[in-house]
Amino acid sequence: MNFLRIENNKKSTVLTTLSVLLPFTFVYKLWFEAELIFNTVALGLGSYMGRVLSYCVNGAIGYLLAFAAIGWSYNIFARSKYSPCDENFVCRINKPTYTAIGYFVVCIANILGGTLNFIAYAAPISIVFVTILLPKLVTIIAVCTFVALLCLACKKEERRQLITAMAIPCIILLLLLR
């Protein structure tokens, strides 16, 4: 995961690519919910315009929630007295690195969630499982993966501090990521 370590003063193409890719993965993940919205609300707009509108709204809401969750959780993480710091009391994990790891994990979780939606759509599974439980299970796994990738950016002695500092940010990520 060396490619996700980004210097503070450098404009990263990896971070730019992940921030552009993130809304598209949300549309892929939320296609089933967008189809449900289209069938109930936007059917009167026509097949093309209704689908585009419902997909765009779902993608935009998902992206804004992920953007807010990652930014807010970093602010709490960086201000925590348990966050791993170097000898100058500067947090070892800078905001671009935290954001890149967060976007990377959320993109992978969205692709996995969208693929599971395709599989669940074809199988005779409850709609409650597909729309409520399945995304939450994938989000829990994504947050655990996020913390594990952050542990790779720290020294071995600082991993306990990192896990302690990530307690409240993990709750925020679980609540805001959909």
Side-chain angles (χ1 to χ4, degrees), residues 14-172:
V14 172
L15 186 58
T16 306
T17 304
L18 287 172
S19 63
V20 168
L21 187 64
L22 190 64
F24 294 112
T25 61
F26 268 109
V27 170
Y28 178 69
K29 175 186 175 184
L30 299 173
W31 73 271
F32 185 72
E33 291 179 27
E35 282 294 317
L36 288 176
I37 291 169
F38 168 71
N39 289 332
T40 57
V41 177
L43 193 59
L45 295 174
S47 65
Y48 179 73
M49 190 61 186
R51 278 197 171 88
V52 168
L53 184 64
S54 60
Y55 287 168
C56 289
V57 167
N58 269 321
I61 289 172
Y63 176 72
L64 289 177
L65 285 174
F67 180 75
I70 291 172
W72 191 20
S73 66
Y74 179 76
N75 286 337
I76 292 172
F77 170 75
R79 291 180 184 169
S80 173
K81 69 178 184 178
Y82 297 108
S83 61
C85 298
D86 59 4
E87 55 277 347
N88 296 328
F89 298 108
V90 176
C91 186
R92 284 199 191 279
I93 302 169
N94 56 15
K95 187 168 182 147
T97 301
Y98 188 92
T99 305
I101 291 173
Y103 284 176
F104 177 73
V105 168
V106 171
C107 284
I108 297 298
N110 288 342
I111 291 169
L112 179 64
T115 305
L116 290 174
N117 276 340
F118 276 117
I119 294 168
Y121 182 70
I125 299 176
S126 170
I127 206 161
V128 173
F129 178 74
V130 173
T131 58
I132 296 173
L133 294 177
L134 188 66
K136 288 303 171 194
L137 290 174
V138 172
T139 302
I140 290 169
I141 293 169
V143 170
C144 293
T145 306
F146 183 60
V147 173
L149 289 176
L150 286 177
C151 283
L152 294 177
C154 294
K155 293 180 181 176
K156 193 171 186 176
E157 305 85 36
E158 298 172 337
R159 290 186 181 161
R160 261 193 201 154
Q161 291 176 341
L162 175 83
I163 292 171
T164 305
M166 282 299 293
I168 294 175
C170 282
I171 293 171
I172 291 170

